[in-house]
Amino acid sequence: MAELTLTINGQTHKVDVDPQMPLLWVIRDFIGLKGTKFGCGIAQCGACTVHFDGEPIRSCSYPVAGAVGKKITTIEGISEHIDHPIQKAWIAQQVPQCGYCQSGQIMSAAALLNHNHTPTDADIDAAMSGNICRCGTYQRIRRAIHQAADLINNNKTA
Amino acid sequence: MEQSSNIARRKFLKITGITGAALVLGVGFSEKDKIARVFNMSADAGQSHELTPYIFIEKSGVITIMNPKAEMGQGTYQSVPALIAEELEVSLEQVIVKFTSGQAKYKDQSTGGSSSVNSNYFPLRNVGASAKEMLIIAASKQWNVPVAECYAENAKVFHKPSGKSLTYGQLAEPASKLDVPQKPKLKDPRDFKILGKQVARQDIPLKVSGKALFGIDAEVPGMLYASIERCPVLGGKLVSFDDSAALKIKGVQRVVKTERVLGKIKYMGVAVVADNYWAALQGRKALKVQWDYQGYDQFNSRDYEQSLRVLSKKEGLVAHNEGNFDRQFAGAPHKIEAFYETPFVSHSPMEPMNCLAQWKDGKVEVWLSSQGAEWTRDTIAESLGISKEDVYVNMQFNGGGFGRRILQDFAVEAAGISRAINKPVKVIWTREDDTQLGPFRPMTFSAMKAGLSNDGKVTAFQHKVISPSIDATTAAKYDKSKADETMVEGISSQPYEIPNMKNTYVFSDIHLPLTWWRSVTASTVAFPHESFVDELAVAAGKDPLEYRLEMLTKPSDTKRVLTKLKEVSGWDKPLPAGKGRGIAQWVFFAGLCGHVVEVSKQKDNSIKVDKVYAVIDLGTVVNPDNVRSQVEGAIVMALTAATKDAITFENGKTMQSNFHNYRMVRMNEMPVIEVHILAEGGPVIKGVGEPGLPSLAPALCNAIFAATGTRIRKLPFDLNKIA
Ligand code: FES
Ligand code: FES
């Protein structure tokens, strides 16, 4: 056990856990943020995606000790009022079905748009192929990412 | 009297958590009239009818609609309450939707067979319309004006001439004193504001912000976590276990035996209970367990496939017989035969199986993702030997179901562990557990035969299904003397006008747990059937779409679907070399859909799936955007089943374990999908969740044949390795 300090969504949390414990379980069961999901545990599905300093990582395969000192963002931290351009686009395109993969999808898409405001289909393939959606919402995800990019770009010019 | 009504009322508050409801309407079966009737439960709460409350209107104006159907991605969170809201004249933003709990007598709370909307279409509209009429009458009395001068809109009743209005909250109490109209006037579909319209789903904002609570997210104070080690050879028995190393792991509290129940099948397991899930997993790894494989370690799916091929030589039990197949086939100038194979597959919903159970004083409360609160309640009660009234089910959002969450094995495990340790415990399966332990979709083979006349017409046709049986593996009784209706479902109801047809079934025993998988048998028999029809068209030298239409001279829904597909896919426009298109349709218990798939051969000889056109036939449509969403999803699931991995067994063990070797179609492999809806209106409402799946695989393989000349008769296959 070790006392660790984590910065999640701008808040600091102290946890006393096995340093080898994957960040996913710390976020879900010690911090209590349930939006980040468990899908595979081996970095194959992306359901557990969170950001380290804006970059996507798979929290199921990341020992919590490695998260100390990083700025961690979870789905709960990307907007306060469900108004991140990606969330707006996701609602407009009615993307989710069961919804279980969608926190991870949104975190991967948000990371893509952090760097790239004009993603091509190939960019989307590259950024999103680590996220499985068993319900098959990929076509809508693609459309929503293009729409979110437009929202961001229109905001810039406005 | 007073007292019993209070008890009934209290019960029902516990069920719903709603305390201040003034007007409560429900549906119950009237013994007197032998029909489903709408009941005023605000006044009737003490009566002995087994009532299902659906609408609660509180004085404060809060309106709650109960939803008896599980939400697993198919949109019933919106589409089922929409039926009530439409008639009640409220928007979905104005109501709270709650899931029923399996506690009260909500008839049929199970979700499957694409039936959620069609089975509720009239009963639920009736409840909404009754409530609206009562509210209008209450208002007209209050104002002392004729009922005909009042109308409802936007959760208010208006007096047309004067423009004054009262809210439903203000009217709830006086309305609750009125008789319930049994034949309320239903709205003309032309006046619908919600049904048939593009309405945003209310669960979506929750699902894009991490706020939707799934089974895995449930928590109660003092809760522990469990992970269960089970025999890697399905069917093996627990001999003994050594938990000394496991108990040394920090956080591990207890190690207990568990039972997993799948109908008549019972599997033993060893659960490690810890104060966090990671510790439970570590403890599980440290267990030393001895299993007796009971000989099932001799099982190899490759041998089983071979045994089905041998069995296919048998005549089989007759499932359907018309005309004289044997004679016509024997005398046919052209005989065509083909053998098709589909594998075991896993459901693999994104949310692994899980359940939180809290045992207290002989009763158990559970929180889980399940396709049916009633199934959960009944299975737990039966397995633990307690009464149904002592099981309380809290339904959470389902992170996918696809048939897997009909069975309640994981809920029984959790309830049993909680009873054993007398503490609340959450069982979470790993992805490996989910992939390897079943229940699986049954491996299903098909032997096809047809006789063609000299002008290419089908004169004799046979579809023989050779497979293990879902019922035989899990149901208490199985009749081997009859063709298994589930395993041949749909093969005899295709509307092709074929004069001599004999469809048969050959049963094969197996020890594995098997179950329904999205669209059930249609997902394994449409592929051989519709691929074979394509083979016949090729043999006859005809266009596959025209060939099908020639067998459909009478008007039928299938004919309409094919005709629409021809139009929307531009079927008659020639494709450049290296590209091909294929068509297939399937009509079965859940509905009807057809696909045209376009593929192209790449430079490296791999096949790319470029585009899929789907036409789904519905009758009446509740939410067209949701229908498109469901069909898109069904196509992706079918594409995965056709082109990714099978579940296979070696020495009794499942060879696939997680998404690296049980792969799913991903973003970069997506074709463009275009969904068209045929909705003629009227009382017919067909299913939405499943029909988009079965005909995708045959349409794809027919397209690959058109592009390459290679006929695929075994699923799954690799798009990168087509000769
Ligand atoms: S749970 Fe982390 S990638 Fe699947
Ligand atoms: S929405 Fe269900 S897994 Fe993606």
Side-chain angles (χ1 to χ4, degrees), chain A residues 24 37-48 58-61:
Chain A
L24 169 67
K37 298 297 192 236
F38 166 58
C40 68
I42 59 163
Q44 281 288 321
C45 77
C48 64
R58 310 290 185 223
S59 65
C60 70
S61 304

Side-chain angles (χ1 to χ4, degrees), chain A residues 34 37 39 44 129 138-139, chain B residues 217 219 431 665-666 673:
Chain A
K34 300 290 193 195
K37 298 297 192 236
Q44 281 288 321
S129 290
Y138 301 118
Q139 174 158 300
Chain B
D217 303 324
E219 267 184 348
R431 176 58 58 192
V665 161
R666 291 173 184 264
I673 299 173

Side-chain angles (χ1 to χ4, degrees), chain A residues 1 22 25 28-29 34 37 39-40 42 44 87 94 97-98 100 129 132 134-135 138-140 142, chain B residues 73 201 207-208 214 216-217 219 225 278 346-347 350 431 625 629 632-633 658 665-666 668 673:
Chain A
M1 293 299 125
W25 300 112
R28 286 181 52 81
D29 296 337
K34 300 290 193 195
K37 298 297 192 236
C40 68
I42 59 163
Q44 281 288 321
Q87 290 172 311
Q94 296 279 293
Q97 289 187 30
C98 84
Y100 194 78
S129 290
I132 292 174
R134 182 60 160 158
C135 297
Y138 301 118
Q139 174 158 300
R140 286 169 189 245
R142 185 186 302 283
Chain B
R201 282 172 52 175
K207 289 175 175 176
V208 301
F214 296 84
I216 201 168
D217 303 324
E219 267 184 348
Y225 295 80
W278 180 243
S346 157
H347 304 75
M350 280 311 286
R431 176 58 58 192
D625 188 55
S629 191
E632 289 162 16
N658 203 321
V665 161
R666 291 173 184 264
N668 57 327
I673 299 173

Side-chain angles (χ1 to χ4, degrees), chain B residues 405-427:
Chain B
R405 287 188 157 93
I406 292 172
L407 290 164
Q408 305 293 328
D409 46 332
F410 47 94
V412 172
E413 285 177 335
I417 299 170
S418 180
R419 177 166 69 178
I421 65 171
N422 207 15
K423 280 188 181 148
V425 64
K426 176 152 71 180
V427 169

